[in-house]
Amino acid sequence: MDINKALAAFFALSQQTRLDVFRLLVKAGADGLNAGEIAALLDVKQNTMSANLTVLLNAGMVRNERHGRTIRYFADFDAMRAVLSFLMEDCCGGRPELCQPVIDELACAC
Amino acid sequence: MDINKALAAFFALSQQTRLDVFRLLVKAGADGLNAGEIAALLDVKQNTMSANLTVLLNAGMVRNERHGRTIRYFADFDAMRAVLSFLMEDCCGGRPELCQPVIDELACAC
DNA sequence: ACAATATATCAATTATTCATGAATTATGGA
DNA sequence: TCCATAATTCATGAATAATTGATATATTGT
């Protein structure tokens, strides 16, 4: 992941609606959600939501698939991992002794 | 970490100069860097850098310490871990089977 | 107390982002 | 083909963010 991709990812996640959308899609997992459903669930106007979905899409944080006349959106888990790795990578550049605790304490809340 | 703290973190990291600063401080590790050094290294005007450092500071991504007339900045590794955990937490909310691969592949590049 | 250095704050300008109404494109069904 | 539905694109105005010169504050050394 280059720095511009990382910037786009952070930018996409730095706005309330878009972060809400991403979390919603993460929770929806492999099922995803239709654009219209997302707008309704978060009570955001349809075109506003479309613009925000486009930002997430361009940042690579979500994917989409057309099914008939609906378009289904999915969180991109690979992109999420890439963002986490990007910060990790920086972390490990100089000082492994600071890096390891971060990884160790990164518990999965499953 | 609540959503507002997460938004502030993502916002802070979503701008070129600030992401550069954060990476620089992560690499500098426990030694940190002085405000002036950071501005010089990244070739950014002193007051512009000061404003950007304040954004990172308010977001909790960096700490600072005054040493005489210089002010030394440090990456906050706890905050970094919190941001990573925040996304992990979402990940695990619904579907552990999607979450685990993300963690497994999150290799440390030490 | 004074001068020099390091950093932060202020005020103004410019640039970017956000939300929205209106128009457009794409698909499926009658 | 015509209509209805789902979603995107466009143009615009309002809000927010970024940069900068000028100024203020804090600290050290003389």
mmCIF file of all heavy atoms in Angstrom, chain B residues 33-83:
data_model
loop_
_atom_site.group_PDB
_atom_site.id
_atom_site.type_symbol
_atom_site.label_atom_id
_atom_site.label_comp_id
_atom_site.label_asym_id
_atom_site.label_seq_id
_atom_site.Cartn_x
_atom_site.Cartn_y
_atom_site.Cartn_z
ATOM 1 N N LEU B 33 10.923 13.636 18.255
ATOM 2 C CA LEU B 33 11.569 14.689 17.463
ATOM 3 C C LEU B 33 11.037 16.036 17.937
ATOM 4 O O LEU B 33 9.887 16.152 18.348
ATOM 5 C CB LEU B 33 11.243 14.528 15.971
ATOM 6 C CG LEU B 33 11.894 13.371 15.202
ATOM 7 C CD1 LEU B 33 11.229 13.194 13.857
ATOM 8 C CD2 LEU B 33 13.392 13.632 15.032
ATOM 9 N N ASN B 34 11.875 17.075 17.843
ATOM 10 C CA ASN B 34 11.435 18.420 18.185
ATOM 11 C C ASN B 34 10.549 18.982 17.079
ATOM 12 O O ASN B 34 10.703 18.610 15.915
ATOM 13 C CB ASN B 34 12.626 19.351 18.338
ATOM 14 C CG ASN B 34 13.490 18.971 19.512
ATOM 15 O OD1 ASN B 34 13.020 18.313 20.447
ATOM 16 N ND2 ASN B 34 14.742 19.359 19.472
ATOM 17 N N ALA B 35 9.652 19.868 17.466
ATOM 18 C CA ALA B 35 8.751 20.503 16.499
ATOM 19 C C ALA B 35 9.538 21.105 15.337
ATOM 20 O O ALA B 35 9.186 20.900 14.166
ATOM 21 C CB ALA B 35 7.906 21.564 17.193
ATOM 22 N N GLY B 36 10.578 21.810 15.646
ATOM 23 C CA GLY B 36 11.379 22.448 14.613
ATOM 24 C C GLY B 36 12.044 21.450 13.679
ATOM 25 O O GLY B 36 12.098 21.664 12.467
ATOM 26 N N GLU B 37 12.550 20.364 14.260
ATOM 27 C CA GLU B 37 13.175 19.321 13.451
ATOM 28 C C GLU B 37 12.170 18.741 12.460
ATOM 29 O O GLU B 37 12.484 18.508 11.292
ATOM 30 C CB GLU B 37 13.676 18.178 14.337
ATOM 31 C CG GLU B 37 14.870 18.520 15.211
ATOM 32 C CD GLU B 37 15.271 17.338 16.082
ATOM 33 O OE1 GLU B 37 14.384 16.729 16.746
ATOM 34 O OE2 GLU B 37 16.465 17.029 16.125
ATOM 35 N N ILE B 38 10.963 18.477 12.959
ATOM 36 C CA ILE B 38 9.925 17.894 12.113
ATOM 37 C C ILE B 38 9.614 18.808 10.937
ATOM 38 O O ILE B 38 9.560 18.376 9.785
ATOM 39 C CB ILE B 38 8.646 17.633 12.934
ATOM 40 C CG1 ILE B 38 8.933 16.622 14.050
ATOM 41 C CG2 ILE B 38 7.529 17.117 12.039
ATOM 42 C CD1 ILE B 38 7.798 16.452 15.035
ATOM 43 N N ALA B 39 9.450 20.095 11.231
ATOM 44 C CA ALA B 39 9.157 21.063 10.170
ATOM 45 C C ALA B 39 10.284 21.098 9.143
ATOM 46 O O ALA B 39 10.036 21.113 7.938
ATOM 47 C CB ALA B 39 8.934 22.447 10.776
ATOM 48 N N ALA B 40 11.526 21.065 9.624
ATOM 49 C CA ALA B 40 12.676 21.115 8.721
ATOM 50 C C ALA B 40 12.760 19.842 7.878
ATOM 51 O O ALA B 40 12.944 19.908 6.661
ATOM 52 C CB ALA B 40 13.960 21.308 9.527
ATOM 53 N N LEU B 41 12.597 18.695 8.524
ATOM 54 C CA LEU B 41 12.699 17.420 7.808
ATOM 55 C C LEU B 41 11.669 17.317 6.691
ATOM 56 O O LEU B 41 11.951 16.773 5.624
ATOM 57 C CB LEU B 41 12.507 16.249 8.782
ATOM 58 C CG LEU B 41 13.718 15.880 9.639
ATOM 59 C CD1 LEU B 41 13.315 14.904 10.745
ATOM 60 C CD2 LEU B 41 14.807 15.263 8.759
ATOM 61 N N LEU B 42 10.468 17.824 6.947
ATOM 62 C CA LEU B 42 9.410 17.686 5.949
ATOM 63 C C LEU B 42 9.268 18.942 5.084
ATOM 64 O O LEU B 42 8.376 19.013 4.232
ATOM 65 C CB LEU B 42 8.083 17.346 6.631
ATOM 66 C CG LEU B 42 8.061 16.003 7.373
ATOM 67 C CD1 LEU B 42 6.709 15.774 8.014
ATOM 68 C CD2 LEU B 42 8.403 14.859 6.426
ATOM 69 N N ASP B 43 10.119 19.923 5.327
ATOM 70 C CA ASP B 43 10.114 21.155 4.549
ATOM 71 C C ASP B 43 8.733 21.823 4.549
ATOM 72 O O ASP B 43 8.154 22.105 3.502
ATOM 73 C CB ASP B 43 10.560 20.862 3.107
ATOM 74 C CG ASP B 43 10.868 22.148 2.347
ATOM 75 O OD1 ASP B 43 11.190 23.156 2.998
ATOM 76 O OD2 ASP B 43 10.761 22.133 1.098
ATOM 77 N N VAL B 44 8.241 22.038 5.756
ATOM 78 C CA VAL B 44 6.950 22.699 5.946
ATOM 79 C C VAL B 44 7.189 23.896 6.865
ATOM 80 O O VAL B 44 8.017 23.816 7.781
ATOM 81 C CB VAL B 44 5.934 21.728 6.598
ATOM 82 C CG1 VAL B 44 4.672 22.453 7.016
ATOM 83 C CG2 VAL B 44 5.616 20.586 5.637
ATOM 84 N N LYS B 45 6.504 24.989 6.608
ATOM 85 C CA LYS B 45 6.697 26.189 7.416
ATOM 86 C C LYS B 45 6.372 25.920 8.886
ATOM 87 O O LYS B 45 5.496 25.123 9.205
ATOM 88 C CB LYS B 45 5.837 27.328 6.877
ATOM 89 C CG LYS B 45 6.361 27.908 5.585
ATOM 90 C CD LYS B 45 6.043 29.397 5.507
ATOM 91 C CE LYS B 45 6.934 30.117 4.512
ATOM 92 N NZ LYS B 45 7.226 29.350 3.296
ATOM 93 N N GLN B 46 7.065 26.641 9.744
ATOM 94 C CA GLN B 46 6.981 26.392 11.184
ATOM 95 C C GLN B 46 5.563 26.494 11.739
ATOM 96 O O GLN B 46 5.120 25.632 12.500
ATOM 97 C CB GLN B 46 7.927 27.366 11.902
ATOM 98 C CG GLN B 46 7.962 27.243 13.405
ATOM 99 C CD GLN B 46 6.931 28.132 14.061
ATOM 100 O OE1 GLN B 46 6.713 29.265 13.632
ATOM 101 N NE2 GLN B 46 6.287 27.618 15.095
ATOM 102 N N ASN B 47 4.839 27.518 11.337
ATOM 103 C CA ASN B 47 3.497 27.680 11.908
ATOM 104 C C ASN B 47 2.501 26.691 11.309
ATOM 105 O O ASN B 47 1.607 26.207 12.001
ATOM 106 C CB ASN B 47 3.009 29.117 11.779
ATOM 107 C CG ASN B 47 3.049 29.620 10.357
ATOM 108 O OD1 ASN B 47 3.549 28.948 9.476
ATOM 109 N ND2 ASN B 47 2.508 30.804 10.140
ATOM 110 N N THR B 48 2.700 26.372 10.050
ATOM 111 C CA THR B 48 1.855 25.351 9.432
ATOM 112 C C THR B 48 2.046 24.022 10.163
ATOM 113 O O THR B 48 1.075 23.327 10.508
ATOM 114 C CB THR B 48 2.223 25.172 7.947
ATOM 115 O OG1 THR B 48 2.005 26.397 7.274
ATOM 116 C CG2 THR B 48 1.382 24.098 7.301
ATOM 117 N N MET B 49 3.303 23.686 10.410
ATOM 118 C CA MET B 49 3.576 22.436 11.107
ATOM 119 C C MET B 49 2.991 22.457 12.513
ATOM 120 O O MET B 49 2.431 21.467 12.976
ATOM 121 C CB MET B 49 5.082 22.196 11.161
ATOM 122 C CG MET B 49 5.467 20.870 11.793
ATOM 123 S SD MET B 49 4.626 19.459 11.024
ATOM 124 C CE MET B 49 5.566 19.272 9.524
ATOM 125 N N SER B 50 3.102 23.594 13.166
ATOM 126 C CA SER B 50 2.558 23.710 14.513
ATOM 127 C C SER B 50 1.060 23.402 14.516
ATOM 128 O O SER B 50 0.563 22.673 15.384
ATOM 129 C CB SER B 50 2.810 25.110 15.060
ATOM 130 O OG SER B 50 2.276 25.234 16.352
ATOM 131 N N ALA B 51 0.356 23.941 13.520
ATOM 132 C CA ALA B 51 -1.079 23.692 13.428
ATOM 133 C C ALA B 51 -1.365 22.210 13.200
ATOM 134 O O ALA B 51 -2.258 21.639 13.829
ATOM 135 C CB ALA B 51 -1.681 24.513 12.296
ATOM 136 N N ASN B 52 -0.567 21.592 12.346
ATOM 137 C CA ASN B 52 -0.781 20.168 12.079
ATOM 138 C C ASN B 52 -0.439 19.306 13.293
ATOM 139 O O ASN B 52 -1.127 18.317 13.574
ATOM 140 C CB ASN B 52 0.030 19.732 10.854
ATOM 141 C CG ASN B 52 -0.646 20.134 9.560
ATOM 142 O OD1 ASN B 52 -1.857 20.004 9.422
ATOM 143 N ND2 ASN B 52 0.122 20.637 8.619
ATOM 144 N N LEU B 53 0.593 19.692 14.020
ATOM 145 C CA LEU B 53 0.944 18.954 15.238
ATOM 146 C C LEU B 53 -0.184 19.051 16.261
ATOM 147 O O LEU B 53 -0.487 18.089 16.959
ATOM 148 C CB LEU B 53 2.253 19.489 15.827
ATOM 149 C CG LEU B 53 3.518 19.105 15.060
ATOM 150 C CD1 LEU B 53 4.728 19.888 15.571
ATOM 151 C CD2 LEU B 53 3.783 17.601 15.170
ATOM 152 N N THR B 54 -0.824 20.212 16.298
ATOM 153 C CA THR B 54 -1.944 20.398 17.228
ATOM 154 C C THR B 54 -3.105 19.461 16.877
ATOM 155 O O THR B 54 -3.754 18.917 17.774
ATOM 156 C CB THR B 54 -2.413 21.857 17.213
ATOM 157 O OG1 THR B 54 -1.334 22.687 17.638
ATOM 158 C CG2 THR B 54 -3.591 22.069 18.140
ATOM 159 N N VAL B 55 -3.338 19.292 15.583
ATOM 160 C CA VAL B 55 -4.411 18.379 15.159
ATOM 161 C C VAL B 55 -4.096 16.952 15.616
ATOM 162 O O VAL B 55 -4.958 16.261 16.184
ATOM 163 C CB VAL B 55 -4.602 18.417 13.629
ATOM 164 C CG1 VAL B 55 -5.581 17.334 13.184
ATOM 165 C CG2 VAL B 55 -5.108 19.779 13.192
ATOM 166 N N LEU B 56 -2.874 16.520 15.402
ATOM 167 C CA LEU B 56 -2.470 15.171 15.824
ATOM 168 C C LEU B 56 -2.554 15.032 17.346
ATOM 169 O O LEU B 56 -2.958 13.992 17.862
ATOM 170 C CB LEU B 56 -1.042 14.881 15.350
ATOM 171 C CG LEU B 56 -0.899 14.554 13.869
ATOM 172 C CD1 LEU B 56 0.547 14.688 13.413
ATOM 173 C CD2 LEU B 56 -1.408 13.140 13.583
ATOM 174 N N LEU B 57 -2.180 16.110 18.023
ATOM 175 C CA LEU B 57 -2.198 16.115 19.486
ATOM 176 C C LEU B 57 -3.631 15.993 20.001
ATOM 177 O O LEU B 57 -3.930 15.162 20.863
ATOM 178 C CB LEU B 57 -1.560 17.421 19.970
ATOM 179 C CG LEU B 57 -0.995 17.489 21.383
ATOM 180 C CD1 LEU B 57 0.049 16.416 21.624
ATOM 181 C CD2 LEU B 57 -0.384 18.866 21.611
ATOM 182 N N ASN B 58 -4.541 16.801 19.440
ATOM 183 C CA ASN B 58 -5.936 16.759 19.873
ATOM 184 C C ASN B 58 -6.589 15.416 19.560
ATOM 185 O O ASN B 58 -7.495 14.990 20.272
ATOM 186 C CB ASN B 58 -6.725 17.891 19.223
ATOM 187 C CG ASN B 58 -6.355 19.242 19.792
ATOM 188 O OD1 ASN B 58 -5.860 19.342 20.923
ATOM 189 N ND2 ASN B 58 -6.550 20.287 19.020
ATOM 190 N N ALA B 59 -6.124 14.805 18.493
ATOM 191 C CA ALA B 59 -6.655 13.489 18.135
ATOM 192 C C ALA B 59 -6.063 12.399 19.029
ATOM 193 O O ALA B 59 -6.508 11.253 18.990
ATOM 194 C CB ALA B 59 -6.372 13.175 16.678
ATOM 195 N N GLY B 60 -5.062 12.776 19.807
ATOM 196 C CA GLY B 60 -4.451 11.800 20.715
ATOM 197 C C GLY B 60 -3.447 10.876 20.046
ATOM 198 O O GLY B 60 -2.992 9.907 20.659
ATOM 199 N N MET B 61 -3.089 11.180 18.801
ATOM 200 C CA MET B 61 -2.152 10.306 18.089
ATOM 201 C C MET B 61 -0.699 10.577 18.464
ATOM 202 O O MET B 61 0.165 9.740 18.231
ATOM 203 C CB MET B 61 -2.333 10.453 16.574
ATOM 204 C CG MET B 61 -3.717 10.071 16.080
ATOM 205 S SD MET B 61 -4.208 8.407 16.589
ATOM 206 C CE MET B 61 -3.074 7.406 15.615
ATOM 207 N N VAL B 62 -0.423 11.760 18.983
ATOM 208 C CA VAL B 62 0.937 12.070 19.448
ATOM 209 C C VAL B 62 0.877 12.708 20.834
ATOM 210 O O VAL B 62 -0.166 13.216 21.259
ATOM 211 C CB VAL B 62 1.677 13.030 18.469
ATOM 212 C CG1 VAL B 62 1.690 12.454 17.057
ATOM 213 C CG2 VAL B 62 1.042 14.405 18.481
ATOM 214 N N ARG B 63 1.997 12.624 21.546
ATOM 215 C CA ARG B 63 2.159 13.307 22.835
ATOM 216 C C ARG B 63 3.293 14.301 22.651
ATOM 217 O O ARG B 63 4.029 14.239 21.664
ATOM 218 C CB ARG B 63 2.588 12.306 23.914
ATOM 219 C CG ARG B 63 1.553 11.253 24.261
ATOM 220 C CD ARG B 63 2.127 10.267 25.263
ATOM 221 N NE ARG B 63 3.285 9.566 24.728
ATOM 222 C CZ ARG B 63 4.549 9.811 25.070
ATOM 223 N NH1 ARG B 63 4.833 10.764 25.968
ATOM 224 N NH2 ARG B 63 5.540 9.120 24.537
ATOM 225 N N ASN B 64 3.444 15.205 23.624
ATOM 226 C CA ASN B 64 4.628 16.071 23.571
ATOM 227 C C ASN B 64 5.145 16.362 24.974
ATOM 228 O O ASN B 64 4.431 16.186 25.959
ATOM 229 C CB ASN B 64 4.339 17.349 22.777
ATOM 230 C CG ASN B 64 3.340 18.247 23.454
ATOM 231 O OD1 ASN B 64 2.925 18.010 24.579
ATOM 232 N ND2 ASN B 64 2.942 19.288 22.752
ATOM 233 N N GLU B 65 6.387 16.782 25.005
ATOM 234 C CA GLU B 65 7.060 17.112 26.263
ATOM 235 C C GLU B 65 7.936 18.322 26.008
ATOM 236 O O GLU B 65 8.658 18.341 25.016
ATOM 237 C CB GLU B 65 8.023 15.985 26.686
ATOM 238 C CG GLU B 65 7.396 14.777 27.302
ATOM 239 C CD GLU B 65 8.425 13.678 27.549
ATOM 240 O OE1 GLU B 65 9.646 13.968 27.443
ATOM 241 O OE2 GLU B 65 8.019 12.543 27.813
ATOM 242 N N ARG B 66 7.854 19.277 26.897
ATOM 243 C CA ARG B 66 8.772 20.408 26.754
ATOM 244 C C ARG B 66 10.118 20.044 27.375
ATOM 245 O O ARG B 66 10.166 19.477 28.469
ATOM 246 C CB ARG B 66 8.202 21.653 27.438
ATOM 247 C CG ARG B 66 9.142 22.834 27.383
ATOM 248 C CD ARG B 66 8.536 24.085 27.976
ATOM 249 N NE ARG B 66 7.627 24.758 27.055
ATOM 250 C CZ ARG B 66 8.015 25.572 26.083
ATOM 251 N NH1 ARG B 66 9.297 25.797 25.879
ATOM 252 N NH2 ARG B 66 7.141 26.161 25.304
ATOM 253 N N HIS B 67 11.173 20.336 26.650
ATOM 254 C CA HIS B 67 12.530 20.192 27.171
ATOM 255 C C HIS B 67 13.202 21.532 26.949
ATOM 256 O O HIS B 67 13.617 21.840 25.834
ATOM 257 C CB HIS B 67 13.298 19.094 26.429
ATOM 258 C CG HIS B 67 12.805 17.714 26.733
ATOM 259 N ND1 HIS B 67 13.201 17.018 27.858
ATOM 260 C CD2 HIS B 67 11.935 16.908 26.102
ATOM 261 C CE1 HIS B 67 12.600 15.833 27.882
ATOM 262 N NE2 HIS B 67 11.815 15.742 26.831
ATOM 263 N N GLY B 68 13.265 22.309 27.995
ATOM 264 C CA GLY B 68 13.845 23.644 27.839
ATOM 265 C C GLY B 68 13.027 24.435 26.862
ATOM 266 O O GLY B 68 11.799 24.488 26.980
ATOM 267 N N ARG B 69 13.650 24.979 25.853
ATOM 268 C CA ARG B 69 12.849 25.786 24.922
ATOM 269 C C ARG B 69 12.411 24.986 23.700
ATOM 270 O O ARG B 69 11.777 25.540 22.802
ATOM 271 C CB ARG B 69 13.597 27.050 24.521
ATOM 272 C CG ARG B 69 14.896 26.842 23.846
ATOM 273 C CD ARG B 69 15.575 28.198 23.593
ATOM 274 N NE ARG B 69 16.970 28.178 24.007
ATOM 275 C CZ ARG B 69 17.752 29.238 23.940
ATOM 276 N NH1 ARG B 69 17.278 30.392 23.525
ATOM 277 N NH2 ARG B 69 19.005 29.173 24.323
ATOM 278 N N THR B 70 12.723 23.725 23.675
ATOM 279 C CA THR B 70 12.215 22.909 22.568
ATOM 280 C C THR B 70 11.058 22.045 23.060
ATOM 281 O O THR B 70 10.936 21.759 24.251
ATOM 282 C CB THR B 70 13.306 21.985 21.986
ATOM 283 O OG1 THR B 70 13.567 20.948 22.924
ATOM 284 C CG2 THR B 70 14.576 22.749 21.697
ATOM 285 N N ILE B 71 10.203 21.634 22.144
ATOM 286 C CA ILE B 71 9.096 20.745 22.500
ATOM 287 C C ILE B 71 9.228 19.493 21.651
ATOM 288 O O ILE B 71 9.307 19.562 20.423
ATOM 289 C CB ILE B 71 7.737 21.434 22.281
ATOM 290 C CG1 ILE B 71 7.626 22.633 23.223
ATOM 291 C CG2 ILE B 71 6.609 20.449 22.533
ATOM 292 C CD1 ILE B 71 6.292 23.332 23.205
ATOM 293 N N ARG B 72 9.291 18.379 22.358
ATOM 294 C CA ARG B 72 9.573 17.109 21.699
ATOM 295 C C ARG B 72 8.271 16.342 21.518
ATOM 296 O O ARG B 72 7.469 16.250 22.441
ATOM 297 C CB ARG B 72 10.552 16.301 22.565
ATOM 298 C CG ARG B 72 11.364 15.325 21.796
ATOM 299 C CD ARG B 72 12.724 15.075 22.466
ATOM 300 N NE ARG B 72 13.573 14.292 21.590
ATOM 301 C CZ ARG B 72 14.346 14.819 20.648
ATOM 302 N NH1 ARG B 72 14.405 16.118 20.484
ATOM 303 N NH2 ARG B 72 15.069 14.032 19.869
ATOM 304 N N TYR B 73 8.068 15.828 20.304
ATOM 305 C CA TYR B 73 6.849 15.080 19.995
ATOM 306 C C TYR B 73 7.133 13.602 19.847
ATOM 307 O O TYR B 73 8.198 13.201 19.371
ATOM 308 C CB TYR B 73 6.224 15.626 18.703
ATOM 309 C CG TYR B 73 5.457 16.912 18.919
ATOM 310 C CD1 TYR B 73 6.116 18.136 18.972
ATOM 311 C CD2 TYR B 73 4.079 16.902 19.103
ATOM 312 C CE1 TYR B 73 5.430 19.306 19.187
ATOM 313 C CE2 TYR B 73 3.367 18.074 19.312
ATOM 314 C CZ TYR B 73 4.052 19.270 19.358
ATOM 315 O OH TYR B 73 3.359 20.428 19.581
ATOM 316 N N PHE B 74 6.151 12.805 20.270
ATOM 317 C CA PHE B 74 6.268 11.352 20.212
ATOM 318 C C PHE B 74 4.985 10.751 19.647
ATOM 319 O O PHE B 74 3.895 11.231 19.966
ATOM 320 C CB PHE B 74 6.451 10.770 21.615
ATOM 321 C CG PHE B 74 7.577 11.380 22.386
ATOM 322 C CD1 PHE B 74 7.360 12.523 23.140
ATOM 323 C CD2 PHE B 74 8.842 10.816 22.356
ATOM 324 C CE1 PHE B 74 8.403 13.107 23.855
ATOM 325 C CE2 PHE B 74 9.888 11.389 23.066
ATOM 326 C CZ PHE B 74 9.663 12.549 23.818
ATOM 327 N N ALA B 75 5.120 9.711 18.851
ATOM 328 C CA ALA B 75 3.938 8.957 18.429
ATOM 329 C C ALA B 75 3.360 8.280 19.663
ATOM 330 O O ALA B 75 4.093 7.832 20.547
ATOM 331 C CB ALA B 75 4.315 7.913 17.386
ATOM 332 N N ASP B 76 2.045 8.213 19.742
ATOM 333 C CA ASP B 76 1.390 7.531 20.852
ATOM 334 C C ASP B 76 1.001 6.128 20.389
ATOM 335 O O ASP B 76 0.012 5.951 19.683
ATOM 336 C CB ASP B 76 0.162 8.324 21.305
ATOM 337 C CG ASP B 76 -0.414 7.754 22.601
ATOM 338 O OD1 ASP B 76 -0.465 6.503 22.722
ATOM 339 O OD2 ASP B 76 -0.803 8.544 23.467
ATOM 340 N N PHE B 77 1.805 5.171 20.818
ATOM 341 C CA PHE B 77 1.590 3.799 20.346
ATOM 342 C C PHE B 77 0.296 3.191 20.904
ATOM 343 O O PHE B 77 -0.315 2.339 20.278
ATOM 344 C CB PHE B 77 2.807 2.927 20.677
ATOM 345 C CG PHE B 77 3.989 3.202 19.787
ATOM 346 C CD1 PHE B 77 4.875 4.228 20.081
ATOM 347 C CD2 PHE B 77 4.183 2.469 18.629
ATOM 348 C CE1 PHE B 77 5.942 4.509 19.249
ATOM 349 C CE2 PHE B 77 5.256 2.740 17.789
ATOM 350 C CZ PHE B 77 6.138 3.765 18.098
ATOM 351 N N ASP B 78 -0.089 3.635 22.079
ATOM 352 C CA ASP B 78 -1.364 3.167 22.634
ATOM 353 C C ASP B 78 -2.530 3.610 21.751
ATOM 354 O O ASP B 78 -3.465 2.850 21.509
ATOM 355 C CB ASP B 78 -1.567 3.719 24.049
ATOM 356 C CG ASP B 78 -0.823 2.885 25.086
ATOM 357 O OD1 ASP B 78 -0.367 1.764 24.726
ATOM 358 O OD2 ASP B 78 -0.692 3.339 26.221
ATOM 359 N N ALA B 79 -2.458 4.856 21.296
ATOM 360 C CA ALA B 79 -3.525 5.374 20.432
ATOM 361 C C ALA B 79 -3.559 4.586 19.128
ATOM 362 O O ALA B 79 -4.637 4.263 18.615
ATOM 363 C CB ALA B 79 -3.305 6.854 20.155
ATOM 364 N N MET B 80 -2.384 4.272 18.615
ATOM 365 C CA MET B 80 -2.318 3.505 17.385
ATOM 366 C C MET B 80 -2.985 2.145 17.573
ATOM 367 O O MET B 80 -3.794 1.721 16.750
ATOM 368 C CB MET B 80 -0.860 3.317 16.974
ATOM 369 C CG MET B 80 -0.704 2.620 15.658
ATOM 370 S SD MET B 80 0.953 2.832 15.004
ATOM 371 C CE MET B 80 1.579 1.177 15.152
ATOM 372 N N ARG B 81 -2.650 1.505 18.684
ATOM 373 C CA ARG B 81 -3.265 0.210 18.970
ATOM 374 C C ARG B 81 -4.781 0.353 19.101
ATOM 375 O O ARG B 81 -5.542 -0.475 18.607
ATOM 376 C CB ARG B 81 -2.693 -0.382 20.262
ATOM 377 C CG ARG B 81 -3.223 -1.766 20.591
ATOM 378 C CD ARG B 81 -2.809 -2.218 21.974
ATOM 379 N NE ARG B 81 -3.040 -1.181 22.982
ATOM 380 C CZ ARG B 81 -4.224 -0.762 23.388
ATOM 381 N NH1 ARG B 81 -5.335 -1.280 22.871
ATOM 382 N NH2 ARG B 81 -4.344 0.182 24.299
ATOM 383 N N ALA B 82 -5.230 1.444 19.735
ATOM 384 C CA ALA B 82 -6.664 1.661 19.921
ATOM 385 C C ALA B 82 -7.385 1.796 18.581
ATOM 386 O O ALA B 82 -8.481 1.269 18.409
ATOM 387 C CB ALA B 82 -6.901 2.897 20.785
ATOM 388 N N VAL B 83 -6.755 2.496 17.648
ATOM 389 C CA VAL B 83 -7.365 2.643 16.322
ATOM 390 C C VAL B 83 -7.475 1.289 15.635
ATOM 391 O O VAL B 83 -8.517 0.937 15.072
ATOM 392 C CB VAL B 83 -6.542 3.611 15.437
ATOM 393 C CG1 VAL B 83 -7.046 3.584 14.006
ATOM 394 C CG2 VAL B 83 -6.605 5.008 16.000
#
